[in-house]
Amino acid sequence: IAWCIPTPTVLEYIVAQQKPIVEIGGGRGYMARELTRLGAIVVSYDIMLPTKGHKFFDVQKGDQSMIRKHPGSALLLCFPPQVGHDHSEMSAECVKIFHHIGGQDIFFMGERGGVTKIEMASVATPEFWQALARLGYKLVKEMSMAQLPHDYSVMCHYSCK
């Protein structure tokens, strides 16, 4: 279904920020659907749209360049590609483009990887974490999304204001 199943508390927190959301790497649209159900305005993109199976949301074909069409939105990245996977540069490019258009709030959903927060690199890439730090994004809130044993999924809200 999705890389992770967010807790209601996480979804409610994101929606409470009262910003439209642009999601890059939306896959089948599970996160977009869940956020929309709670009242968020979401536009979701993915470079590889599913051709089979259930789709939860109308994810549009597009890559990180689509961020430019959504100034004033928050950015959502859910389990972006990690080092060694196709399109691993996507998450760092998203941060750079988002910052360039004046983007402030980034919601990252992923899994804790290392011993420090900057090493949460079991998803995304070191370049992603470095771009966040270099461009002045600070961690506002971290919330567990763990619902199963050995699930280390978190939602991290970063902001650059």
Side-chain angles (χ1 to χ4, degrees), residues 67-68 75 89-103 106 127-128 130-132 134-135 137:
I67 293 170
R68 292 183 182 95
L75 174 62
E89 75 288 345
M90 180 268 281
S91 57
E93 288 300 313
C94 283
V95 173
K96 293 172 194 171
I97 293 167
F98 189 65
H99 186 265
H100 182 75
I101 66 164
I106 298 174
E127 292 80 12
F128 168 76
Q130 291 161 5
L132 284 175
R134 186 178 64 253
L135 295 172
Y137 287 92

Side-chain angles (χ1 to χ4, degrees), residues 15 18 29-30 34 40 55 75 90 95 98 102 110 121 138-139 143 149 160:
V15 173
Q18 298 183 339
Y30 181 76
E34 294 302 299
K55 297 178 189 174
L75 174 62
M90 180 268 281
V95 173
F98 189 65
K138 305 285 187 220
L139 181 63
M143 301 172 74
C160 179

Side-chain angles (χ1 to χ4, degrees), residues 98-114:
F98 189 65
H99 186 265
H100 182 75
I101 66 164
Q104 295 180 347
D105 294 292
I106 298 174
F107 298 103
F108 167 84
M109 294 181 177
E111 189 172 277
R112 187 180 318 282

